[in-house]
Amino acid sequence: MAVVGVSAVGCGHRAAQADSGRPAATAEAAPAYAGLSDVPERLGNDGTTISVGDPAAPVTVHLYEDPRCPVCKEFESTGGAPQLRAATIRRETKTQYTLASFLDDRLGGSGSEKAVNALRAALDKGKFAEYHDVLYADQPAESVDGFTDAYLLELAAKVPGLRGPDFDSAVKTMKYRSFVTTSEKAYERAGGVQDPEGPGTPTAEINDVTIPSQYSAVLFDGDVFAGLLAKIRANPDVWQDAG
């Protein structure tokens, strides 16, 4: 299967490599979750991929993001991500994340690493998806390196049930420093030989196929992105063959 690049206007390089499989569709559609706070989330067996949604969902969207990337914020706030979240709540799609932190090296500072560490800590509390949305909604300017411990904890207070001694300590001590490192390496591997520094952010793969670079604008148009997910759900084999 050929895999083509995406994210022509994103942070970092452009390319991608498939990393997620498509589970078989269930015989009957399960009822939708009540909201994002009820959607299950888990760490994959590879130790880096964070999955949000019904494991049996017929469509898998794998995202590569850096918390400091302003183009990721565009995707998350005004692009396709709100529609993706809605599809995940409806059990039509599950969303996987590989979290990068390369912008710290390029711009200076440690905001990406601190944010990835905090997101991993939120996963332990079952609050990753909610906190992820808050971080992008309140993302500091890329050049500011504003994801400090204090700011990350301030934002965590917006997620009911997230703040507490364990979470606060994990943020302040970089408890998941090893996860931050291995997650960045997983991001870099996703670029393959063509882009050894990583595929660029945001990069999106749907059922193992990367959106073609000439259609990367689909990531930033919510209605178009929702339509694409619906078409893939209805006819997944055509999408697979297109890859």
Side-chain angles (χ1 to χ4, degrees), residues 188-231:
E188 293 168 4
R189 287 195 300 272
V193 176
Q194 190 173 20
D195 281 292
E197 294 183 352
T201 56
T203 285
E205 299 164 357
I206 307 177
N207 286 358
D208 285 339
V209 177
T210 311
I211 298 173
S213 59
Q214 63 267 35
Y215 299 119
S216 62
V218 71
L219 291 172
F220 306 99
D221 187 314
D223 291 338
V224 174
F225 190 69
L228 176 62
L229 293 178
K231 289 179 180 179

mmCIF file of all heavy atoms in Angstrom, residues 188-231:
data_model
loop_
_atom_site.group_PDB
_atom_site.id
_atom_site.type_symbol
_atom_site.label_atom_id
_atom_site.label_comp_id
_atom_site.label_asym_id
_atom_site.label_seq_id
_atom_site.Cartn_x
_atom_site.Cartn_y
_atom_site.Cartn_z
ATOM 1 N N GLU A 188 9.323 10.643 15.270
ATOM 2 C CA GLU A 188 10.397 10.709 14.285
ATOM 3 C C GLU A 188 10.404 9.475 13.385
ATOM 4 O O GLU A 188 10.620 9.580 12.168
ATOM 5 C CB GLU A 188 11.741 10.876 14.996
ATOM 6 C CG GLU A 188 11.887 12.221 15.702
ATOM 7 C CD GLU A 188 13.088 12.282 16.632
ATOM 8 O OE1 GLU A 188 13.857 11.295 16.676
ATOM 9 O OE2 GLU A 188 13.243 13.311 17.321
ATOM 10 N N ARG A 189 10.160 8.306 13.961
ATOM 11 C CA ARG A 189 10.120 7.078 13.156
ATOM 12 C C ARG A 189 8.989 7.118 12.137
ATOM 13 O O ARG A 189 9.099 6.534 11.054
ATOM 14 C CB ARG A 189 9.954 5.850 14.052
ATOM 15 C CG ARG A 189 11.191 5.475 14.842
ATOM 16 C CD ARG A 189 11.071 4.063 15.410
ATOM 17 N NE ARG A 189 9.931 3.912 16.297
ATOM 18 C CZ ARG A 189 9.965 4.164 17.603
ATOM 19 N NH1 ARG A 189 11.088 4.580 18.171
ATOM 20 N NH2 ARG A 189 8.876 3.990 18.346
ATOM 21 N N ALA A 190 7.918 7.816 12.471
ATOM 22 C CA ALA A 190 6.777 7.881 11.564
ATOM 23 C C ALA A 190 7.115 8.587 10.257
ATOM 24 O O ALA A 190 6.424 8.398 9.249
ATOM 25 C CB ALA A 190 5.601 8.576 12.243
ATOM 26 N N GLY A 191 8.176 9.396 10.269
ATOM 27 C CA GLY A 191 8.581 10.063 9.038
ATOM 28 C C GLY A 191 9.277 9.143 8.062
ATOM 29 O O GLY A 191 9.394 9.475 6.878
ATOM 30 N N GLY A 192 9.748 7.996 8.544
ATOM 31 C CA GLY A 192 10.435 7.050 7.678
ATOM 32 C C GLY A 192 11.764 7.583 7.175
ATOM 33 O O GLY A 192 12.308 8.568 7.688
ATOM 34 N N VAL A 193 12.271 6.963 6.151
ATOM 35 C CA VAL A 193 13.562 7.360 5.583
ATOM 36 C C VAL A 193 13.468 8.736 4.945
ATOM 37 O O VAL A 193 14.416 9.523 4.985
ATOM 38 C CB VAL A 193 14.020 6.308 4.545
ATOM 39 C CG1 VAL A 193 15.305 6.751 3.862
ATOM 40 C CG2 VAL A 193 14.211 4.952 5.203
ATOM 41 N N GLN A 194 12.319 9.038 4.389
ATOM 42 C CA GLN A 194 12.161 10.294 3.668
ATOM 43 C C GLN A 194 12.230 11.505 4.590
ATOM 44 O O GLN A 194 12.781 12.547 4.224
ATOM 45 C CB GLN A 194 10.822 10.281 2.917
ATOM 46 C CG GLN A 194 10.658 11.433 1.944
ATOM 47 C CD GLN A 194 9.404 11.281 1.111
ATOM 48 O OE1 GLN A 194 8.485 10.552 1.471
ATOM 49 N NE2 GLN A 194 9.357 11.974 -0.015
ATOM 50 N N ASP A 195 11.675 11.385 5.771
ATOM 51 C CA ASP A 195 11.658 12.485 6.737
ATOM 52 C C ASP A 195 12.048 11.969 8.112
ATOM 53 O O ASP A 195 11.189 11.782 8.986
ATOM 54 C CB ASP A 195 10.279 13.146 6.790
ATOM 55 C CG ASP A 195 10.047 14.100 5.643
ATOM 56 O OD1 ASP A 195 10.716 15.144 5.591
ATOM 57 O OD2 ASP A 195 9.204 13.782 4.790
ATOM 58 N N PRO A 196 13.334 11.726 8.348
ATOM 59 C CA PRO A 196 13.764 11.115 9.612
ATOM 60 C C PRO A 196 13.527 11.985 10.842
ATOM 61 O O PRO A 196 13.596 11.492 11.965
ATOM 62 C CB PRO A 196 15.257 10.872 9.390
ATOM 63 C CG PRO A 196 15.661 11.852 8.341
ATOM 64 C CD PRO A 196 14.471 11.978 7.443
ATOM 65 N N GLU A 197 13.233 13.272 10.647
ATOM 66 C CA GLU A 197 12.928 14.139 11.781
ATOM 67 C C GLU A 197 11.445 14.125 12.134
ATOM 68 O O GLU A 197 11.034 14.774 13.095
ATOM 69 C CB GLU A 197 13.391 15.568 11.492
ATOM 70 C CG GLU A 197 14.902 15.703 11.385
ATOM 71 C CD GLU A 197 15.326 17.131 11.182
ATOM 72 O OE1 GLU A 197 14.446 17.997 10.963
ATOM 73 O OE2 GLU A 197 16.531 17.409 11.242
ATOM 74 N N GLY A 198 10.654 13.386 11.390
ATOM 75 C CA GLY A 198 9.232 13.296 11.671
ATOM 76 C C GLY A 198 8.390 13.833 10.532
ATOM 77 O O GLY A 198 8.867 14.592 9.689
ATOM 78 N N PRO A 199 7.118 13.457 10.497
ATOM 79 C CA PRO A 199 6.252 13.804 9.369
ATOM 80 C C PRO A 199 5.712 15.222 9.354
ATOM 81 O O PRO A 199 5.105 15.640 8.391
ATOM 82 C CB PRO A 199 5.103 12.803 9.503
ATOM 83 C CG PRO A 199 5.020 12.526 10.964
ATOM 84 C CD PRO A 199 6.444 12.552 11.452
ATOM 85 N N GLY A 200 5.929 15.973 10.420
ATOM 86 C CA GLY A 200 5.333 17.304 10.510
ATOM 87 C C GLY A 200 4.028 17.227 11.274
ATOM 88 O O GLY A 200 3.383 16.179 11.358
ATOM 89 N N THR A 201 3.633 18.355 11.842
ATOM 90 C CA THR A 201 2.400 18.387 12.624
ATOM 91 C C THR A 201 1.497 19.515 12.147
ATOM 92 O O THR A 201 1.994 20.600 11.840
ATOM 93 C CB THR A 201 2.718 18.573 14.125
ATOM 94 O OG1 THR A 201 3.495 19.760 14.314
ATOM 95 C CG2 THR A 201 3.471 17.382 14.676
ATOM 96 N N PRO A 202 0.186 19.277 12.062
ATOM 97 C CA PRO A 202 -0.460 17.985 12.288
ATOM 98 C C PRO A 202 -0.366 17.084 11.063
ATOM 99 O O PRO A 202 -0.462 17.559 9.931
ATOM 100 C CB PRO A 202 -1.923 18.362 12.552
ATOM 101 C CG PRO A 202 -2.120 19.604 11.709
ATOM 102 C CD PRO A 202 -0.807 20.338 11.767
ATOM 103 N N THR A 203 -0.171 15.822 11.296
ATOM 104 C CA THR A 203 -0.284 14.797 10.264
ATOM 105 C C THR A 203 -1.425 13.868 10.676
ATOM 106 O O THR A 203 -1.564 13.555 11.855
ATOM 107 C CB THR A 203 1.031 14.014 10.113
ATOM 108 O OG1 THR A 203 1.985 14.828 9.434
ATOM 109 C CG2 THR A 203 0.836 12.736 9.332
ATOM 110 N N ALA A 204 -2.225 13.463 9.722
ATOM 111 C CA ALA A 204 -3.366 12.587 10.004
ATOM 112 C C ALA A 204 -3.352 11.376 9.102
ATOM 113 O O ALA A 204 -3.159 11.496 7.886
ATOM 114 C CB ALA A 204 -4.681 13.344 9.831
ATOM 115 N N GLU A 205 -3.540 10.206 9.699
ATOM 116 C CA GLU A 205 -3.719 8.962 8.958
ATOM 117 C C GLU A 205 -5.108 8.424 9.278
ATOM 118 O O GLU A 205 -5.528 8.443 10.438
ATOM 119 C CB GLU A 205 -2.673 7.926 9.371
ATOM 120 C CG GLU A 205 -1.249 8.362 9.103
ATOM 121 C CD GLU A 205 -0.237 7.531 9.852
ATOM 122 O OE1 GLU A 205 -0.652 6.645 10.634
ATOM 123 O OE2 GLU A 205 0.964 7.761 9.671
ATOM 124 N N ILE A 206 -5.802 7.955 8.268
ATOM 125 C CA ILE A 206 -7.131 7.382 8.466
ATOM 126 C C ILE A 206 -7.102 5.937 7.977
ATOM 127 O O ILE A 206 -6.821 5.680 6.811
ATOM 128 C CB ILE A 206 -8.212 8.173 7.709
ATOM 129 C CG1 ILE A 206 -8.140 9.665 8.072
ATOM 130 C CG2 ILE A 206 -9.599 7.623 8.029
ATOM 131 C CD1 ILE A 206 -9.127 10.529 7.319
ATOM 132 N N ASN A 207 -7.358 5.013 8.887
ATOM 133 C CA ASN A 207 -7.312 3.585 8.559
ATOM 134 C C ASN A 207 -6.051 3.223 7.777
ATOM 135 O O ASN A 207 -6.098 2.576 6.734
ATOM 136 C CB ASN A 207 -8.561 3.178 7.768
ATOM 137 C CG ASN A 207 -9.803 3.101 8.629
ATOM 138 O OD1 ASN A 207 -9.747 3.312 9.839
ATOM 139 N ND2 ASN A 207 -10.937 2.811 8.014
ATOM 140 N N ASP A 208 -4.923 3.657 8.306
ATOM 141 C CA ASP A 208 -3.608 3.316 7.763
ATOM 142 C C ASP A 208 -3.228 4.078 6.498
ATOM 143 O O ASP A 208 -2.175 3.808 5.928
ATOM 144 C CB ASP A 208 -3.486 1.813 7.474
ATOM 145 C CG ASP A 208 -3.318 0.977 8.723
ATOM 146 O OD1 ASP A 208 -2.909 1.527 9.755
ATOM 147 O OD2 ASP A 208 -3.604 -0.235 8.654
ATOM 148 N N VAL A 209 -4.066 4.974 6.037
ATOM 149 C CA VAL A 209 -3.773 5.723 4.817
ATOM 150 C C VAL A 209 -3.678 7.203 5.151
ATOM 151 O O VAL A 209 -4.567 7.756 5.812
ATOM 152 C CB VAL A 209 -4.855 5.498 3.739
ATOM 153 C CG1 VAL A 209 -4.563 6.343 2.496
ATOM 154 C CG2 VAL A 209 -4.944 4.021 3.368
ATOM 155 N N THR A 210 -2.618 7.832 4.696
ATOM 156 C CA THR A 210 -2.426 9.256 4.958
ATOM 157 C C THR A 210 -3.158 10.086 3.916
ATOM 158 O O THR A 210 -3.152 9.760 2.721
ATOM 159 C CB THR A 210 -0.935 9.615 4.935
ATOM 160 O OG1 THR A 210 -0.230 8.695 5.751
ATOM 161 C CG2 THR A 210 -0.706 11.020 5.438
ATOM 162 N N ILE A 211 -3.796 11.146 4.355
ATOM 163 C CA ILE A 211 -4.495 12.036 3.428
ATOM 164 C C ILE A 211 -3.474 12.592 2.437
ATOM 165 O O ILE A 211 -2.437 13.121 2.841
ATOM 166 C CB ILE A 211 -5.184 13.177 4.184
ATOM 167 C CG1 ILE A 211 -6.247 12.614 5.132
ATOM 168 C CG2 ILE A 211 -5.813 14.170 3.219
ATOM 169 C CD1 ILE A 211 -6.858 13.649 6.049
ATOM 170 N N PRO A 212 -3.730 12.487 1.125
ATOM 171 C CA PRO A 212 -2.769 12.987 0.129
ATOM 172 C C PRO A 212 -2.459 14.465 0.333
ATOM 173 O O PRO A 212 -3.325 15.254 0.707
ATOM 174 C CB PRO A 212 -3.499 12.747 -1.202
ATOM 175 C CG PRO A 212 -4.462 11.645 -0.918
ATOM 176 C CD PRO A 212 -4.910 11.863 0.503
ATOM 177 N N SER A 213 -1.222 14.824 0.084
ATOM 178 C CA SER A 213 -0.771 16.195 0.337
ATOM 179 C C SER A 213 -1.580 17.227 -0.429
ATOM 180 O O SER A 213 -1.826 18.326 0.074
ATOM 181 C CB SER A 213 0.714 16.322 -0.006
ATOM 182 O OG SER A 213 0.931 15.980 -1.360
ATOM 183 N N GLN A 214 -2.026 16.882 -1.633
ATOM 184 C CA GLN A 214 -2.788 17.859 -2.406
ATOM 185 C C GLN A 214 -4.172 18.123 -1.812
ATOM 186 O O GLN A 214 -4.858 19.061 -2.205
ATOM 187 C CB GLN A 214 -2.920 17.417 -3.870
ATOM 188 C CG GLN A 214 -3.691 16.127 -4.099
ATOM 189 C CD GLN A 214 -2.788 14.904 -4.149
ATOM 190 O OE1 GLN A 214 -1.784 14.860 -3.438
ATOM 191 N NE2 GLN A 214 -3.138 13.947 -5.000
ATOM 192 N N TYR A 215 -4.577 17.276 -0.854
ATOM 193 C CA TYR A 215 -5.868 17.452 -0.197
ATOM 194 C C TYR A 215 -5.708 17.760 1.290
ATOM 195 O O TYR A 215 -6.645 17.595 2.064
ATOM 196 C CB TYR A 215 -6.716 16.196 -0.364
ATOM 197 C CG TYR A 215 -7.011 15.850 -1.800
ATOM 198 C CD1 TYR A 215 -6.582 14.650 -2.349
ATOM 199 C CD2 TYR A 215 -7.705 16.742 -2.616
ATOM 200 C CE1 TYR A 215 -6.846 14.338 -3.670
ATOM 201 C CE2 TYR A 215 -7.970 16.440 -3.939
ATOM 202 C CZ TYR A 215 -7.538 15.235 -4.468
ATOM 203 O OH TYR A 215 -7.798 14.928 -5.779
ATOM 204 N N SER A 216 -4.544 18.232 1.693
ATOM 205 C CA SER A 216 -4.300 18.472 3.119
ATOM 206 C C SER A 216 -5.207 19.548 3.698
ATOM 207 O O SER A 216 -5.439 19.590 4.906
ATOM 208 C CB SER A 216 -2.832 18.850 3.349
ATOM 209 O OG SER A 216 -2.513 20.058 2.669
ATOM 210 N N ALA A 217 -5.764 20.392 2.845
ATOM 211 C CA ALA A 217 -6.674 21.427 3.336
ATOM 212 C C ALA A 217 -7.911 20.835 3.977
ATOM 213 O O ALA A 217 -8.605 21.525 4.732
ATOM 214 C CB ALA A 217 -7.076 22.367 2.197
ATOM 215 N N VAL A 218 -8.201 19.560 3.691
ATOM 216 C CA VAL A 218 -9.379 18.926 4.289
ATOM 217 C C VAL A 218 -9.299 18.927 5.813
ATOM 218 O O VAL A 218 -10.320 18.941 6.506
ATOM 219 C CB VAL A 218 -9.535 17.480 3.753
ATOM 220 C CG1 VAL A 218 -8.451 16.564 4.307
ATOM 221 C CG2 VAL A 218 -10.911 16.903 4.107
ATOM 222 N N LEU A 219 -8.080 18.946 6.360
ATOM 223 C CA LEU A 219 -7.904 18.947 7.808
ATOM 224 C C LEU A 219 -8.456 20.218 8.451
ATOM 225 O O LEU A 219 -8.780 20.218 9.641
ATOM 226 C CB LEU A 219 -6.424 18.807 8.170
ATOM 227 C CG LEU A 219 -5.763 17.469 7.867
ATOM 228 C CD1 LEU A 219 -4.255 17.568 8.111
ATOM 229 C CD2 LEU A 219 -6.365 16.368 8.719
ATOM 230 N N PHE A 220 -8.561 21.274 7.686
ATOM 231 C CA PHE A 220 -8.908 22.568 8.256
ATOM 232 C C PHE A 220 -10.311 23.041 7.864
ATOM 233 O O PHE A 220 -10.671 24.183 8.115
ATOM 234 C CB PHE A 220 -7.845 23.596 7.857
ATOM 235 C CG PHE A 220 -6.460 23.150 8.227
ATOM 236 C CD1 PHE A 220 -5.630 22.572 7.289
ATOM 237 C CD2 PHE A 220 -6.024 23.232 9.538
ATOM 238 C CE1 PHE A 220 -4.364 22.110 7.644
ATOM 239 C CE2 PHE A 220 -4.769 22.771 9.907
ATOM 240 C CZ PHE A 220 -3.940 22.207 8.947
ATOM 241 N N ASP A 221 -11.088 22.150 7.275
ATOM 242 C CA ASP A 221 -12.482 22.436 6.945
ATOM 243 C C ASP A 221 -13.334 21.376 7.625
ATOM 244 O O ASP A 221 -13.355 20.225 7.214
ATOM 245 C CB ASP A 221 -12.687 22.401 5.428
ATOM 246 C CG ASP A 221 -14.082 22.859 5.007
ATOM 247 O OD1 ASP A 221 -15.064 22.414 5.630
ATOM 248 O OD2 ASP A 221 -14.182 23.649 4.047
ATOM 249 N N GLY A 222 -14.021 21.768 8.683
ATOM 250 C CA GLY A 222 -14.736 20.799 9.501
ATOM 251 C C GLY A 222 -15.772 20.003 8.734
ATOM 252 O O GLY A 222 -15.864 18.782 8.877
ATOM 253 N N ASP A 223 -16.559 20.676 7.888
ATOM 254 C CA ASP A 223 -17.610 19.981 7.156
ATOM 255 C C ASP A 223 -17.026 18.989 6.156
ATOM 256 O O ASP A 223 -17.524 17.869 6.005
ATOM 257 C CB ASP A 223 -18.508 20.984 6.437
ATOM 258 C CG ASP A 223 -19.349 21.816 7.396
ATOM 259 O OD1 ASP A 223 -19.560 21.359 8.541
ATOM 260 O OD2 ASP A 223 -19.785 22.912 7.001
ATOM 261 N N VAL A 224 -15.965 19.402 5.472
ATOM 262 C CA VAL A 224 -15.338 18.523 4.488
ATOM 263 C C VAL A 224 -14.698 17.326 5.189
ATOM 264 O O VAL A 224 -14.803 16.186 4.724
ATOM 265 C CB VAL A 224 -14.290 19.292 3.655
ATOM 266 C CG1 VAL A 224 -13.534 18.342 2.730
ATOM 267 C CG2 VAL A 224 -14.973 20.378 2.833
ATOM 268 N N PHE A 225 -14.037 17.576 6.316
ATOM 269 C CA PHE A 225 -13.401 16.482 7.048
ATOM 270 C C PHE A 225 -14.450 15.502 7.558
ATOM 271 O O PHE A 225 -14.267 14.280 7.479
ATOM 272 C CB PHE A 225 -12.580 17.040 8.206
ATOM 273 C CG PHE A 225 -11.690 16.023 8.871
ATOM 274 C CD1 PHE A 225 -10.602 15.501 8.208
ATOM 275 C CD2 PHE A 225 -11.943 15.595 10.160
ATOM 276 C CE1 PHE A 225 -9.774 14.558 8.803
ATOM 277 C CE2 PHE A 225 -11.127 14.661 10.772
ATOM 278 C CZ PHE A 225 -10.038 14.144 10.097
ATOM 279 N N ALA A 226 -15.565 16.011 8.065
ATOM 280 C CA ALA A 226 -16.642 15.142 8.533
ATOM 281 C C ALA A 226 -17.193 14.308 7.382
ATOM 282 O O ALA A 226 -17.497 13.121 7.551
ATOM 283 C CB ALA A 226 -17.756 15.972 9.163
ATOM 284 N N GLY A 227 -17.323 14.927 6.212
ATOM 285 C CA GLY A 227 -17.802 14.195 5.050
ATOM 286 C C GLY A 227 -16.853 13.086 4.639
ATOM 287 O O GLY A 227 -17.288 11.992 4.253
ATOM 288 N N LEU A 228 -15.554 13.363 4.723
ATOM 289 C CA LEU A 228 -14.570 12.339 4.395
ATOM 290 C C LEU A 228 -14.666 11.161 5.350
ATOM 291 O O LEU A 228 -14.652 9.999 4.923
ATOM 292 C CB LEU A 228 -13.163 12.938 4.447
ATOM 293 C CG LEU A 228 -12.006 11.972 4.212
ATOM 294 C CD1 LEU A 228 -12.082 11.359 2.823
ATOM 295 C CD2 LEU A 228 -10.663 12.681 4.418
ATOM 296 N N LEU A 229 -14.787 11.437 6.642
ATOM 297 C CA LEU A 229 -14.914 10.353 7.616
ATOM 298 C C LEU A 229 -16.166 9.516 7.341
ATOM 299 O O LEU A 229 -16.135 8.285 7.447
ATOM 300 C CB LEU A 229 -14.970 10.928 9.030
ATOM 301 C CG LEU A 229 -13.704 11.611 9.551
ATOM 302 C CD1 LEU A 229 -13.944 12.177 10.948
ATOM 303 C CD2 LEU A 229 -12.519 10.664 9.558
ATOM 304 N N ALA A 230 -17.258 10.179 6.984
ATOM 305 C CA ALA A 230 -18.499 9.462 6.699
ATOM 306 C C ALA A 230 -18.351 8.570 5.466
ATOM 307 O O ALA A 230 -18.831 7.428 5.447
ATOM 308 C CB ALA A 230 -19.647 10.454 6.501
ATOM 309 N N LYS A 231 -17.684 9.073 4.437
ATOM 310 C CA LYS A 231 -17.488 8.285 3.220
ATOM 311 C C LYS A 231 -16.599 7.076 3.487
ATOM 312 O O LYS A 231 -16.854 5.978 2.965
ATOM 313 C CB LYS A 231 -16.882 9.162 2.127
ATOM 314 C CG LYS A 231 -17.849 10.190 1.568
ATOM 315 C CD LYS A 231 -17.185 11.057 0.503
ATOM 316 C CE LYS A 231 -18.169 12.082 -0.052
ATOM 317 N NZ LYS A 231 -17.546 12.969 -1.071
#
